[in-house]
mmCIF file of all heavy atoms in Angstrom:
data_model
loop_
_atom_site.group_PDB
_atom_site.id
_atom_site.type_symbol
_atom_site.label_atom_id
_atom_site.label_comp_id
_atom_site.label_asym_id
_atom_site.label_seq_id
_atom_site.Cartn_x
_atom_site.Cartn_y
_atom_site.Cartn_z
ATOM 1 N N GLU U 1 95.541 79.204 109.607
ATOM 2 C CA GLU U 1 96.269 78.156 110.309
ATOM 3 C C GLU U 1 95.578 77.711 111.592
ATOM 4 O O GLU U 1 96.132 76.898 112.346
ATOM 5 C CB GLU U 1 97.683 78.645 110.656
ATOM 6 C CG GLU U 1 98.555 78.912 109.444
ATOM 7 C CD GLU U 1 98.899 77.632 108.700
ATOM 8 O OE1 GLU U 1 99.228 76.628 109.364
ATOM 9 O OE2 GLU U 1 98.801 77.636 107.462
ATOM 10 N N GLY U 2 94.398 78.240 111.865
ATOM 11 C CA GLY U 2 93.679 77.864 113.067
ATOM 12 C C GLY U 2 93.790 78.916 114.168
ATOM 13 O O GLY U 2 94.307 80.020 113.951
ATOM 14 N N THR U 3 93.290 78.584 115.346
ATOM 15 C CA THR U 3 93.311 79.505 116.485
ATOM 16 C C THR U 3 93.977 78.832 117.681
ATOM 17 O O THR U 3 94.118 77.603 117.733
ATOM 18 C CB THR U 3 91.890 79.931 116.887
ATOM 19 O OG1 THR U 3 91.152 78.779 117.307
ATOM 20 C CG2 THR U 3 91.170 80.612 115.738
ATOM 21 N N ARG U 4 94.381 79.665 118.636
ATOM 22 C CA ARG U 4 94.918 79.166 119.900
ATOM 23 C C ARG U 4 94.406 80.061 121.018
ATOM 24 O O ARG U 4 94.149 81.254 120.809
ATOM 25 C CB ARG U 4 96.443 79.154 119.890
ATOM 26 C CG ARG U 4 97.098 80.526 119.860
ATOM 27 C CD ARG U 4 98.609 80.424 119.749
ATOM 28 N NE ARG U 4 99.244 81.740 119.763
ATOM 29 C CZ ARG U 4 99.701 82.350 120.862
ATOM 30 N NH1 ARG U 4 99.583 81.748 122.048
ATOM 31 N NH2 ARG U 4 100.258 83.542 120.803
ATOM 32 N N PRO U 5 94.233 79.523 122.221
ATOM 33 C CA PRO U 5 93.768 80.344 123.348
ATOM 34 C C PRO U 5 94.878 81.268 123.849
ATOM 35 O O PRO U 5 96.045 80.877 123.928
ATOM 36 C CB PRO U 5 93.371 79.317 124.402
ATOM 37 C CG PRO U 5 94.195 78.113 124.076
ATOM 38 C CD PRO U 5 94.369 78.102 122.596
ATOM 39 N N VAL U 6 94.494 82.478 124.181
ATOM 40 C CA VAL U 6 95.423 83.477 124.713
ATOM 41 C C VAL U 6 94.773 84.105 125.941
ATOM 42 O O VAL U 6 93.575 84.447 125.916
ATOM 43 C CB VAL U 6 95.749 84.569 123.667
ATOM 44 C CG1 VAL U 6 96.580 85.685 124.289
ATOM 45 C CG2 VAL U 6 96.488 83.968 122.485
ATOM 46 N N ARG U 7 95.537 84.280 127.000
ATOM 47 C CA ARG U 7 95.012 84.883 128.215
ATOM 48 C C ARG U 7 95.624 86.274 128.378
ATOM 49 O O ARG U 7 96.845 86.420 128.482
ATOM 50 C CB ARG U 7 95.316 84.030 129.447
ATOM 51 C CG ARG U 7 94.708 84.574 130.738
ATOM 52 C CD ARG U 7 94.904 83.602 131.898
ATOM 53 N NE ARG U 7 94.393 84.146 133.147
ATOM 54 C CZ ARG U 7 93.120 84.063 133.533
ATOM 55 N NH1 ARG U 7 92.232 83.464 132.757
ATOM 56 N NH2 ARG U 7 92.737 84.580 134.690
ATOM 57 N N GLY U 8 94.766 87.297 128.387
ATOM 58 C CA GLY U 8 95.217 88.655 128.602
ATOM 59 C C GLY U 8 95.056 89.058 130.055
ATOM 60 O O GLY U 8 94.612 88.259 130.895
ATOM 61 N N PRO U 9 95.397 90.295 130.397
ATOM 62 C CA PRO U 9 95.322 90.729 131.804
ATOM 63 C C PRO U 9 93.912 90.684 132.368
ATOM 64 O O PRO U 9 93.734 90.391 133.545
ATOM 65 C CB PRO U 9 95.863 92.162 131.757
ATOM 66 C CG PRO U 9 95.744 92.578 130.322
ATOM 67 C CD PRO U 9 95.912 91.348 129.521
ATOM 68 N N ASN U 10 92.910 90.959 131.527
ATOM 69 C CA ASN U 10 91.527 90.926 132.008
ATOM 70 C C ASN U 10 90.580 90.347 130.965
ATOM 71 O O ASN U 10 89.394 90.626 130.971
ATOM 72 C CB ASN U 10 91.061 92.320 132.433
ATOM 73 C CG ASN U 10 91.108 93.318 131.289
ATOM 74 O OD1 ASN U 10 91.825 93.124 130.310
ATOM 75 N ND2 ASN U 10 90.344 94.397 131.411
ATOM 76 N N TYR U 11 91.130 89.553 130.062
ATOM 77 C CA TYR U 11 90.301 88.921 129.034
ATOM 78 C C TYR U 11 90.916 87.591 128.623
ATOM 79 O O TYR U 11 92.095 87.315 128.831
ATOM 80 C CB TYR U 11 90.146 89.824 127.806
ATOM 81 C CG TYR U 11 91.446 90.100 127.079
ATOM 82 C CD1 TYR U 11 91.951 89.209 126.119
ATOM 83 C CD2 TYR U 11 92.181 91.254 127.343
ATOM 84 C CE1 TYR U 11 93.142 89.449 125.459
ATOM 85 C CE2 TYR U 11 93.372 91.510 126.688
ATOM 86 C CZ TYR U 11 93.845 90.602 125.738
ATOM 87 O OH TYR U 11 95.033 90.852 125.097
ATOM 88 N N ASP U 12 90.080 86.721 128.050
ATOM 89 C CA ASP U 12 90.524 85.487 127.413
ATOM 90 C C ASP U 12 90.186 85.598 125.934
ATOM 91 O O ASP U 12 89.132 86.148 125.560
ATOM 92 C CB ASP U 12 89.823 84.272 128.019
ATOM 93 C CG ASP U 12 90.136 84.117 129.500
ATOM 94 O OD1 ASP U 12 91.327 84.085 129.851
ATOM 95 O OD2 ASP U 12 89.178 84.056 130.304
ATOM 96 N N ALA U 13 91.064 85.096 125.074
ATOM 97 C CA ALA U 13 90.882 85.306 123.645
ATOM 98 C C ALA U 13 91.183 84.049 122.857
ATOM 99 O O ALA U 13 91.980 83.196 123.277
ATOM 100 C CB ALA U 13 91.778 86.448 123.156
ATOM 101 N N ASP U 14 90.521 83.937 121.712
ATOM 102 C CA ASP U 14 90.914 83.006 120.661
ATOM 103 C C ASP U 14 91.689 83.826 119.641
ATOM 104 O O ASP U 14 91.149 84.765 119.039
ATOM 105 C CB ASP U 14 89.686 82.375 120.001
ATOM 106 C CG ASP U 14 88.972 81.401 120.928
ATOM 107 O OD1 ASP U 14 89.641 80.493 121.449
ATOM 108 O OD2 ASP U 14 87.753 81.571 121.133
ATOM 109 N N GLN U 15 92.947 83.481 119.476
ATOM 110 C CA GLN U 15 93.798 84.227 118.551
ATOM 111 C C GLN U 15 93.991 83.419 117.276
ATOM 112 O O GLN U 15 94.503 82.301 117.288
ATOM 113 C CB GLN U 15 95.153 84.530 119.186
ATOM 114 C CG GLN U 15 96.061 85.396 118.316
ATOM 115 C CD GLN U 15 97.425 85.598 118.939
ATOM 116 O OE1 GLN U 15 98.290 84.730 118.851
ATOM 117 N NE2 GLN U 15 97.611 86.762 119.579
ATOM 118 N N GLY U 16 93.582 83.993 116.159
ATOM 119 C CA GLY U 16 93.762 83.326 114.878
ATOM 120 C C GLY U 16 95.149 83.561 114.320
ATOM 121 O O GLY U 16 95.872 84.475 114.737
ATOM 122 N N HIS U 17 95.516 82.730 113.368
ATOM 123 C CA HIS U 17 96.800 82.884 112.667
ATOM 124 C C HIS U 17 96.519 82.767 111.174
ATOM 125 O O HIS U 17 96.068 81.715 110.698
ATOM 126 C CB HIS U 17 97.796 81.819 113.125
ATOM 127 C CG HIS U 17 99.146 81.947 112.456
ATOM 128 N ND1 HIS U 17 100.046 80.904 112.378
ATOM 129 C CD2 HIS U 17 99.744 82.997 111.819
ATOM 130 C CE1 HIS U 17 101.124 81.312 111.744
ATOM 131 N NE2 HIS U 17 100.964 82.575 111.397
ATOM 132 N N VAL U 18 96.763 83.852 110.459
ATOM 133 C CA VAL U 18 96.501 83.898 109.020
ATOM 134 C C VAL U 18 97.802 84.283 108.325
ATOM 135 O O VAL U 18 98.400 85.324 108.630
ATOM 136 C CB VAL U 18 95.395 84.912 108.673
ATOM 137 C CG1 VAL U 18 95.171 84.958 107.160
ATOM 138 C CG2 VAL U 18 94.095 84.553 109.384
ATOM 139 N N ILE U 19 98.255 83.448 107.384
ATOM 140 C CA ILE U 19 99.468 83.714 106.614
ATOM 141 C C ILE U 19 99.070 84.335 105.287
ATOM 142 O O ILE U 19 98.226 83.792 104.557
ATOM 143 C CB ILE U 19 100.276 82.425 106.386
ATOM 144 C CG1 ILE U 19 100.697 81.821 107.728
ATOM 145 C CG2 ILE U 19 101.503 82.700 105.520
ATOM 146 C CD1 ILE U 19 101.383 80.477 107.592
ATOM 147 N N VAL U 20 99.667 85.490 104.982
ATOM 148 C CA VAL U 20 99.330 86.217 103.755
ATOM 149 C C VAL U 20 100.515 86.130 102.801
ATOM 150 O O VAL U 20 101.671 86.361 103.191
ATOM 151 C CB VAL U 20 99.020 87.697 104.053
ATOM 152 C CG1 VAL U 20 98.560 88.404 102.784
ATOM 153 C CG2 VAL U 20 97.968 87.819 105.145
ATOM 154 N N SER U 21 100.216 85.812 101.552
ATOM 155 C CA SER U 21 101.264 85.746 100.528
ATOM 156 C C SER U 21 100.695 86.234 99.202
ATOM 157 O O SER U 21 99.474 86.346 99.023
ATOM 158 C CB SER U 21 101.792 84.312 100.385
ATOM 159 O OG SER U 21 100.740 83.439 99.988
ATOM 160 N N ARG U 22 101.617 86.521 98.286
ATOM 161 C CA ARG U 22 101.223 86.922 96.933
ATOM 162 C C ARG U 22 102.268 86.413 95.947
ATOM 163 O O ARG U 22 103.457 86.658 96.130
ATOM 164 C CB ARG U 22 101.080 88.431 96.822
ATOM 165 C CG ARG U 22 100.511 88.876 95.481
ATOM 166 C CD ARG U 22 100.228 90.351 95.448
ATOM 167 N NE ARG U 22 99.442 90.701 94.272
ATOM 168 C CZ ARG U 22 99.052 91.927 93.966
ATOM 169 N NH1 ARG U 22 99.363 92.933 94.770
ATOM 170 N NH2 ARG U 22 98.339 92.154 92.879
ATOM 171 N N ASN U 23 101.781 85.708 94.947
ATOM 172 C CA ASN U 23 102.676 85.123 93.946
ATOM 173 C C ASN U 23 103.756 84.266 94.600
ATOM 174 O O ASN U 23 104.926 84.276 94.186
ATOM 175 C CB ASN U 23 103.314 86.215 93.086
ATOM 176 C CG ASN U 23 102.290 87.034 92.326
ATOM 177 O OD1 ASN U 23 101.257 86.510 91.901
ATOM 178 N ND2 ASN U 23 102.567 88.313 92.144
ATOM 179 N N GLY U 24 103.355 83.560 95.663
ATOM 180 C CA GLY U 24 104.279 82.673 96.339
ATOM 181 C C GLY U 24 105.215 83.346 97.318
ATOM 182 O O GLY U 24 106.015 82.668 97.974
ATOM 183 N N ARG U 25 105.152 84.673 97.470
ATOM 184 C CA ARG U 25 106.039 85.399 98.376
ATOM 185 C C ARG U 25 105.312 85.716 99.673
ATOM 186 O O ARG U 25 104.243 86.315 99.656
ATOM 187 C CB ARG U 25 106.521 86.691 97.711
ATOM 188 C CG ARG U 25 107.533 87.465 98.559
ATOM 189 C CD ARG U 25 108.186 88.572 97.724
ATOM 190 N NE ARG U 25 107.193 89.553 97.299
ATOM 191 C CZ ARG U 25 106.894 90.661 97.988
ATOM 192 N NH1 ARG U 25 107.507 90.907 99.142
ATOM 193 N NH2 ARG U 25 106.000 91.507 97.525
ATOM 194 N N HIS U 26 105.912 85.305 100.794
ATOM 195 C CA HIS U 26 105.302 85.547 102.096
ATOM 196 C C HIS U 26 105.299 87.040 102.401
ATOM 197 O O HIS U 26 106.315 87.734 102.255
ATOM 198 C CB HIS U 26 106.078 84.795 103.175
ATOM 199 C CG HIS U 26 105.565 85.032 104.569
ATOM 200 N ND1 HIS U 26 106.060 86.022 105.386
ATOM 201 C CD2 HIS U 26 104.583 84.405 105.282
ATOM 202 C CE1 HIS U 26 105.424 86.006 106.540
ATOM 203 N NE2 HIS U 26 104.520 85.028 106.505
ATOM 204 N N LEU U 27 104.144 87.559 102.866
ATOM 205 C CA LEU U 27 104.011 88.987 103.159
ATOM 206 C C LEU U 27 103.813 89.282 104.639
ATOM 207 O O LEU U 27 104.387 90.244 105.160
ATOM 208 C CB LEU U 27 102.835 89.587 102.372
ATOM 209 C CG LEU U 27 102.951 89.609 100.856
ATOM 210 C CD1 LEU U 27 101.680 90.192 100.241
ATOM 211 C CD2 LEU U 27 104.166 90.417 100.421
ATOM 212 N N ALA U 28 102.990 88.485 105.308
ATOM 213 C CA ALA U 28 102.681 88.833 106.700
ATOM 214 C C ALA U 28 102.064 87.650 107.423
ATOM 215 O O ALA U 28 101.495 86.737 106.802
ATOM 216 C CB ALA U 28 101.725 90.021 106.750
ATOM 217 N N ASP U 29 102.182 87.671 108.749
ATOM 218 C CA ASP U 29 101.444 86.772 109.634
ATOM 219 C C ASP U 29 100.481 87.632 110.436
ATOM 220 O O ASP U 29 100.914 88.455 111.256
ATOM 221 C CB ASP U 29 102.395 86.034 110.569
ATOM 222 C CG ASP U 29 103.219 84.991 109.841
ATOM 223 O OD1 ASP U 29 102.759 83.851 109.738
ATOM 224 O OD2 ASP U 29 104.323 85.340 109.361
ATOM 225 N N LEU U 30 99.211 87.478 110.191
ATOM 226 C CA LEU U 30 98.199 88.276 110.871
ATOM 227 C C LEU U 30 97.557 87.440 111.979
ATOM 228 O O LEU U 30 97.281 86.252 111.795
ATOM 229 C CB LEU U 30 97.131 88.745 109.886
ATOM 230 C CG LEU U 30 97.625 89.619 108.726
ATOM 231 C CD1 LEU U 30 96.468 90.049 107.836
ATOM 232 C CD2 LEU U 30 98.364 90.843 109.253
ATOM 233 N N ARG U 31 97.322 88.103 113.130
ATOM 234 C CA ARG U 31 96.785 87.395 114.289
ATOM 235 C C ARG U 31 95.577 88.139 114.864
ATOM 236 O O ARG U 31 95.671 88.817 115.889
ATOM 237 C CB ARG U 31 97.872 87.213 115.352
ATOM 238 C CG ARG U 31 99.082 86.434 114.833
ATOM 239 C CD ARG U 31 100.110 86.149 115.904
ATOM 240 N NE ARG U 31 101.295 85.516 115.340
ATOM 241 C CZ ARG U 31 101.417 84.207 115.085
ATOM 242 N NH1 ARG U 31 100.406 83.399 115.378
ATOM 243 N NH2 ARG U 31 102.532 83.723 114.576
ATOM 244 N N PRO U 32 94.434 88.018 114.207
ATOM 245 C CA PRO U 32 93.210 88.629 114.749
ATOM 246 C C PRO U 32 92.741 87.876 115.982
ATOM 247 O O PRO U 32 93.069 86.695 116.168
ATOM 248 C CB PRO U 32 92.216 88.492 113.593
ATOM 249 C CG PRO U 32 92.682 87.282 112.843
ATOM 250 C CD PRO U 32 94.181 87.286 112.951
ATOM 251 N N GLU U 33 91.986 88.560 116.827
ATOM 252 C CA GLU U 33 91.532 87.940 118.072
ATOM 253 C C GLU U 33 90.035 88.138 118.272
ATOM 254 O O GLU U 33 89.461 89.136 117.839
ATOM 255 C CB GLU U 33 92.274 88.539 119.277
ATOM 256 C CG GLU U 33 93.752 88.223 119.324
ATOM 257 C CD GLU U 33 94.420 88.778 120.572
ATOM 258 O OE1 GLU U 33 93.724 89.457 121.371
ATOM 259 O OE2 GLU U 33 95.625 88.543 120.759
ATOM 260 N N LYS U 34 89.454 87.174 118.961
ATOM 261 C CA LYS U 34 88.089 87.280 119.486
ATOM 262 C C LYS U 34 88.231 87.227 120.998
ATOM 263 O O LYS U 34 88.596 86.183 121.562
ATOM 264 C CB LYS U 34 87.232 86.121 118.983
ATOM 265 C CG LYS U 34 85.753 86.416 118.981
ATOM 266 C CD LYS U 34 85.397 87.387 117.864
ATOM 267 C CE LYS U 34 83.879 87.514 117.731
ATOM 268 N NZ LYS U 34 83.539 88.425 116.634
ATOM 269 N N ARG U 35 87.968 88.365 121.669
ATOM 270 C CA ARG U 35 88.224 88.473 123.105
ATOM 271 C C ARG U 35 86.932 88.393 123.912
ATOM 272 O O ARG U 35 85.930 88.995 123.535
ATOM 273 C CB ARG U 35 88.931 89.793 123.413
ATOM 274 C CG ARG U 35 90.322 89.916 122.818
ATOM 275 C CD ARG U 35 90.932 91.263 123.133
ATOM 276 N NE ARG U 35 92.302 91.363 122.639
ATOM 277 C CZ ARG U 35 93.052 92.459 122.742
ATOM 278 N NH1 ARG U 35 92.561 93.546 123.348
ATOM 279 N NH2 ARG U 35 94.280 92.480 122.262
ATOM 280 N N LEU U 36 87.003 87.680 125.021
ATOM 281 C CA LEU U 36 85.928 87.649 126.003
ATOM 282 C C LEU U 36 86.454 88.307 127.272
ATOM 283 O O LEU U 36 87.368 87.783 127.918
ATOM 284 C CB LEU U 36 85.492 86.211 126.306
ATOM 285 C CG LEU U 36 84.485 86.058 127.449
ATOM 286 C CD1 LEU U 36 83.156 86.721 127.097
ATOM 287 C CD2 LEU U 36 84.285 84.591 127.809
ATOM 288 N N TYR U 37 85.908 89.471 127.608
ATOM 289 C CA TYR U 37 86.338 90.183 128.815
ATOM 290 C C TYR U 37 85.672 89.539 130.022
ATOM 291 O O TYR U 37 84.442 89.396 130.062
ATOM 292 C CB TYR U 37 86.011 91.670 128.689
ATOM 293 C CG TYR U 37 86.998 92.369 127.774
ATOM 294 C CD1 TYR U 37 86.836 92.324 126.392
ATOM 295 C CD2 TYR U 37 88.114 93.018 128.286
ATOM 296 C CE1 TYR U 37 87.754 92.928 125.544
ATOM 297 C CE2 TYR U 37 89.035 93.628 127.448
ATOM 298 C CZ TYR U 37 88.848 93.579 126.067
ATOM 299 O OH TYR U 37 89.771 94.175 125.235
ATOM 300 N N ARG U 38 86.492 89.147 130.980
ATOM 301 C CA ARG U 38 86.039 88.262 132.050
ATOM 302 C C ARG U 38 85.010 88.898 132.975
ATOM 303 O O ARG U 38 84.160 88.194 133.526
ATOM 304 C CB ARG U 38 87.261 87.791 132.869
ATOM 305 C CG ARG U 38 88.163 86.839 132.116
ATOM 306 C CD ARG U 38 89.201 86.201 133.020
ATOM 307 N NE ARG U 38 90.266 87.098 133.390
ATOM 308 C CZ ARG U 38 91.401 87.245 132.717
ATOM 309 N NH1 ARG U 38 91.601 86.548 131.611
ATOM 310 N NH2 ARG U 38 92.346 88.070 133.144
ATOM 311 N N VAL U 39 85.058 90.194 133.187
ATOM 312 C CA VAL U 39 84.147 90.826 134.138
ATOM 313 C C VAL U 39 82.801 91.120 133.487
ATOM 314 O O VAL U 39 81.757 90.660 133.947
ATOM 315 C CB VAL U 39 84.772 92.117 134.700
ATOM 316 C CG1 VAL U 39 83.803 92.808 135.654
ATOM 317 C CG2 VAL U 39 86.074 91.792 135.427
ATOM 318 N N GLN U 40 82.813 91.873 132.400
ATOM 319 C CA GLN U 40 81.555 92.265 131.765
ATOM 320 C C GLN U 40 81.006 91.213 130.821
ATOM 321 O O GLN U 40 79.884 91.340 130.319
ATOM 322 C CB GLN U 40 81.749 93.595 131.027
ATOM 323 C CG GLN U 40 82.077 94.756 131.949
ATOM 324 C CD GLN U 40 81.955 96.104 131.251
ATOM 325 O OE1 GLN U 40 81.586 96.200 130.082
ATOM 326 N NE2 GLN U 40 82.245 97.166 131.981
ATOM 327 N N ARG U 41 81.844 90.178 130.513
ATOM 328 C CA ARG U 41 81.435 89.075 129.633
ATOM 329 C C ARG U 41 81.094 89.569 128.231
ATOM 330 O O ARG U 41 80.280 88.971 127.526
ATOM 331 C CB ARG U 41 80.243 88.291 130.215
ATOM 332 C CG ARG U 41 80.392 87.852 131.661
ATOM 333 C CD ARG U 41 81.626 87.013 131.876
ATOM 334 N NE ARG U 41 81.577 85.732 131.160
ATOM 335 C CZ ARG U 41 82.607 84.895 131.106
ATOM 336 N NH1 ARG U 41 83.760 85.207 131.686
ATOM 337 N NH2 ARG U 41 82.495 83.756 130.434
ATOM 338 N N ASP U 42 81.708 90.665 127.833
ATOM 339 C CA ASP U 42 81.514 91.192 126.485
ATOM 340 C C ASP U 42 82.507 90.532 125.538
ATOM 341 O O ASP U 42 83.685 90.352 125.869
ATOM 342 C CB ASP U 42 81.732 92.703 126.449
ATOM 343 C CG ASP U 42 80.586 93.461 127.093
ATOM 344 O OD1 ASP U 42 79.475 92.907 127.138
ATOM 345 O OD2 ASP U 42 80.804 94.597 127.554
ATOM 346 N N VAL U 43 82.038 90.200 124.345
ATOM 347 C CA VAL U 43 82.895 89.629 123.311
ATOM 348 C C VAL U 43 83.268 90.741 122.336
ATOM 349 O O VAL U 43 82.400 91.436 121.801
ATOM 350 C CB VAL U 43 82.192 88.474 122.569
ATOM 351 C CG1 VAL U 43 83.074 87.949 121.447
ATOM 352 C CG2 VAL U 43 81.830 87.363 123.541
ATOM 353 N N MET U 44 84.559 90.926 122.114
ATOM 354 C CA MET U 44 85.054 91.992 121.248
ATOM 355 C C MET U 44 85.940 91.402 120.158
ATOM 356 O O MET U 44 86.642 90.412 120.367
ATOM 357 C CB MET U 44 85.861 93.018 122.054
ATOM 358 C CG MET U 44 85.117 93.616 123.237
ATOM 359 S SD MET U 44 83.640 94.519 122.741
ATOM 360 C CE MET U 44 84.367 95.775 121.699
ATOM 361 N N THR U 45 85.901 92.046 119.013
ATOM 362 C CA THR U 45 86.734 91.641 117.885
ATOM 363 C C THR U 45 87.945 92.557 117.788
ATOM 364 O O THR U 45 87.799 93.785 117.777
ATOM 365 C CB THR U 45 85.937 91.708 116.571
ATOM 366 O OG1 THR U 45 84.837 90.808 116.647
ATOM 367 C CG2 THR U 45 86.819 91.345 115.390
ATOM 368 N N GLN U 46 89.119 91.979 117.744
ATOM 369 C CA GLN U 46 90.359 92.740 117.559
ATOM 370 C C GLN U 46 90.915 92.370 116.190
ATOM 371 O O GLN U 46 91.450 91.285 115.991
ATOM 372 C CB GLN U 46 91.364 92.415 118.663
ATOM 373 C CG GLN U 46 92.569 93.344 118.713
ATOM 374 C CD GLN U 46 92.214 94.709 119.280
ATOM 375 O OE1 GLN U 46 91.252 94.846 120.029
ATOM 376 N NE2 GLN U 46 92.965 95.723 118.912
ATOM 377 N N ALA U 47 90.750 93.272 115.233
ATOM 378 C CA ALA U 47 91.192 92.983 113.870
ATOM 379 C C ALA U 47 92.710 93.003 113.784
ATOM 380 O O ALA U 47 93.405 93.612 114.607
ATOM 381 C CB ALA U 47 90.596 94.005 112.907
ATOM 382 N N ALA U 48 93.230 92.339 112.777
ATOM 383 C CA ALA U 48 94.661 92.381 112.459
ATOM 384 C C ALA U 48 94.809 93.040 111.096
ATOM 385 O O ALA U 48 94.098 92.690 110.149
ATOM 386 C CB ALA U 48 95.250 90.974 112.444
#
């Protein structure tokens, strides 16, 4: 469903939105993130 910006206490993130279904039945909304930590400028992956 795309991504949206999210601001954490010490990082900025792009948060994805993935809808999971099976045989037409909704199962979950997963929200993985790609985080940029503002001080060290490290990019981290937060799986869902």
Side-chain angles (χ1 to χ4, degrees):
E1 295 292 317
T3 63
R4 68 184 182 93
V6 173
R7 184 173 177 85
N10 60 339
Y11 64 85
D12 298 306
D14 290 307
Q15 184 184 80
H17 181 201
V18 179
I19 299 174
V20 185
S21 61
R22 187 173 192 181
N23 299 326
R25 184 168 63 92
H26 177 268
L27 295 178
D29 289 271
L30 300 181
R31 301 185 185 277
E33 293 183 357
K34 204 73 171 181
R35 295 178 176 178
L36 173 65
Y37 284 82
R38 290 190 286 269
V39 178
Q40 296 193 2
R41 310 303 295 173
D42 287 336
V43 177
M44 305 298 299
T45 298
Q46 191 74 25

